[in-house]
Amino acid sequence: MTAASARRAPVVAVVGGGIAGLAAAWELAAGPAGAPGVEVHVLESGDRLGGKLQSAEFEGRTVDLGADAFLARRPEAAGLCDELGLHDELVAVGASGAALWARGRLRAMPAGLNLGVPDRWGPLARSGILAPGGVAQAAVDLVRPHRGVREVTGDRAVGEIVASRLGREVVDLLVDPLVGGIHAGGVDDLSAAATFPQLLAADRQRGSLMRNLGRSRPPAPATTPATPLFWSLAGSTARLGRALAEALAARGVHLHTGVAVDALRRTGPDGPGWALDLGGAGIGGGPTLAVDGAVLAVPAGSAARLLAEHAPVAAGLLAEITTSSVAVVTLTVPAAAVRAPLTGTGFLVPRAARVDGRTALVTGCTYLGRKWPHLARPGDELLRLSVGRHGDTRPDALDDAELVDAAFAELARILGVDGRPTASLVTRWDGAFPQYAVGHLVRVDRIERSVAELPGLAVAGAAYRGVGIPACVGSGRTAARGVLAALDPTPARSDRG
């Protein structure tokens, strides 16, 4: 840090106002050990903060348009809620269990699934999801010797591992809907190391894959209440982003929307380390922002563009990360029009499933009034259809009305719904899901090492080590700590006495 910069508080920009960027700003605003001393600017090119945490009023209730829950077993998001004073407003899922559209009907998910991979054969055999041949092929895993390959450290695709041990039908009907659904991708391409490390570890051990996965499950606490699988917040999950933005403003963080970063430039040795060329009106009419450091909490393609001149290795690797687009169709139907019982939280539709003779467009349905009881209303059912996965471009060719018609036609066939929806809302998330191809974590390590060679810069977001809310919160905070460590703002704090 130069003598000039030591006489003032360091300035750090967070480029991107999604949950990863907001979490980075929260960490930066606290500084090391909660000490003040960093001037923080959040620069969001869109017209709002929160990224994929978004909600809307729909038919008299607030519904999430993006993620509607976050994993409870990961501490990052729940811990952030505690810091924001929201612990007492955490809401658990109000139903349990889900179904699968398999072999022409809805069938309950069997017990003993670990992200779709069975760790018990009996419930799988009784579920009716697999044909008899698929059940028999999975049973071979229990008796076929497997020597284990502990010395192997390379990555493999999730689908490859499961198909080789349990058969293709388990992959197509169980694993792809769950793991592939989380990432809007296909498990034949998804990295096991990045998306399902327990599977990779179980495959390397001796003996049955199912039994190895079963042993990897942590035992349930004997005396304390079980932690729910998912949390939301009273009102909506999107409230987390709004509450965090309000808390950041209260901490003095400068929050800017409608401000794009067009370029990142190195500056001279006597000034801050970086200049951000801003699009639009800039900040206060200024076209640039001089900063000592920055967290790039933007999609991989945008980070590649900003880093191309300064970290070509990282930029090249970032540019290789592909994305998937999805759409969410929220609708209401009269409760009396639904002939099938709505049990559990909803259902999933495998990639190869057919509805009325056509490959399914819908990937899943959430019974929102069952999953979140505060959304239930007498006389109607509030449903959320997920559409789109990697390689399926059909939703892009449909306008919103056509997409509602196509998705509802499949829903009507699966649930036996009469008539038409009484209201509908379409939300499209273009390029929202980065695809973690085999070798993804090796690529991420190389990206992070390359960026770390640039003083005061770090990257964060869903493109790196997890797409869920907790992973993105952790990514943002880790990136912020790296920037703080590089800048060491201690002199700026001591100057203020």
Side-chain angles (χ1 to χ4, degrees):
M1 195 160 132
T2 67
S5 62
R7 290 192 293 270
R8 56 167 177 76
V11 179
V12 179
V14 177
V15 185
I19 188 61
L22 295 178
W26 180 253
E27 190 76 19
L28 289 165
V38 180
E39 179 182 330
V40 183
H41 292 262
V42 176
L43 310 174
E44 166 57 43
S45 62
D47 59 2
R48 64 173 190 86
L49 300 170
K52 291 187 281 292
L53 295 185
Q54 184 179 4
S55 63
E57 294 303 307
F58 178 72
E59 293 297 284
R61 55 207 120 174
T62 303
V63 296
D64 283 297
L65 306 179
D68 75 333
F70 53 86
L71 275 173
R73 67 172 179 264
R74 287 196 60 156
E76 299 96 334
L80 181 58
C81 289
D82 289 346
E83 294 175 41
L84 295 171
L86 299 175
H87 177 79
D88 292 339
E89 300 188 51
L90 291 171
V91 177
V93 173
S96 61
L100 190 76
W101 178 254
R103 302 173 64 210
R105 53 169 282 197
L106 284 177
R107 302 174 187 272
M109 290 279 196
L113 291 184
N114 191 335
L115 286 180
V117 181
D119 57 31
R120 284 183 279 165
W121 182 81
L124 174 68
R126 292 189 294 271
S127 70
I129 291 172
L130 304 186
V135 172
Q137 191 169 8
V140 173
D141 171 72
L142 298 171
V143 296
R144 180 172 55 199
H146 183 73
R147 297 177 179 272
V149 285
R150 296 190 184 190
E151 73 283 359
V152 175
T153 59
D155 195 4
R156 296 174 66 193
V158 171
E160 176 195 353
I161 293 172
V162 178
S164 67
R165 304 289 296 273
L166 304 178
R168 188 69 221 178
E169 204 169 357
V170 172
V171 175
D172 292 341
L173 296 184
L174 285 166
V175 183
D176 194 72
L178 274 85
V179 180
I182 292 170
H183 296 270
V187 293
D188 289 329
D189 302 309
L190 287 175
S191 157
T195 66
F196 200 169
Q198 301 94 327
L199 176 68
L200 198 60
D203 182 55
R204 291 171 180 164
Q205 299 170 23
R206 296 174 62 89
S208 160
L209 180 70
M210 284 192 280
R211 292 192 181 110
N212 291 340
L213 276 175
R215 285 191 290 267
S216 72
R217 284 181 180 269
T223 57
T224 59
T227 300
L229 185 58
F230 294 102
W231 288 120
S232 181
L233 285 169
S236 73
T237 298
R239 188 165 161 235
L240 175 59
R242 295 192 295 271
L244 183 50
E246 291 169 2
L248 288 169
R251 281 190 172 185
V253 172
H254 305 277
L255 303 173
H256 310 278
T257 56
V259 178
V261 176
D262 294 334
L264 179 68
R265 295 184 288 108
R266 294 292 294 267
T267 57
D270 295 330
W274 300 93
L276 306 181
D277 292 340
L278 308 178
I283 297 176
T288 63
L289 176 65
V291 299
D292 298 277
V295 175
L296 305 182
V298 291
S302 299
R305 176 178 55 80
L306 293 173
L307 291 169
E309 179 183 348
H310 313 289
V313 171
L317 293 168
L318 284 162
E320 293 176 356
I321 298 176
T322 61
T323 60
S324 292
S325 300
V326 299
V328 174
V329 179
T330 308
L331 49 81
T332 53
V333 297
V338 183
R339 296 195 300 273
L342 303 187
T343 304
T345 60
F347 63 84
L348 296 174
V349 182
R351 176 182 298 266
R354 300 183 71 81
V355 180
D356 284 338
R358 294 183 298 271
T359 302
L361 184 72
V362 169
T363 61
C365 174
T366 302
Y367 310 147
L368 286 175
R370 312 302 174 98
K371 184 176 181 180
W372 308 115
H374 68 275
L375 294 177
R377 298 289 188 275
D380 79 4
E381 293 291 349
L382 180 64
L383 305 172
R384 165 178 161 142
L385 302 177
S386 299
V387 178
R389 49 168 57 101
H390 193 55
D392 186 357
T393 61
R394 290 176 297 166
D396 301 335
L398 303 175
D399 64 25
D400 287 357
E402 292 169 335
L403 187 62
V404 170
D405 287 345
F408 180 74
E410 293 185 5
L411 177 74
R413 167 68 179 86
I414 292 171
L415 291 181
V417 183
D418 298 320
R420 296 284 304 158
T422 54
S424 61
L425 175 65
V426 174
T427 310
R428 296 180 187 262
W429 297 102
D430 295 332
F433 284 85
Q435 296 301 292
Y436 292 1
V438 173
H440 179 77
L441 293 183
V442 174
R443 296 184 189 94
V444 170
D445 285 339
R446 292 181 64 194
I447 290 167
E448 291 174 341
R449 287 198 304 269
S450 177
V451 174
E453 295 176 0
L454 302 173
L457 288 191
V459 293
Y464 303 100
R465 299 183 183 274
V467 299
I469 295 172
C472 289
V473 169
S475 175
R477 300 188 80 157
T478 297
R481 287 193 292 269
V483 170
L484 288 171
L487 296 180
D488 184 17
T490 305
R493 295 200 303 272
S494 62
D495 285 348
R496 291 193 300 273

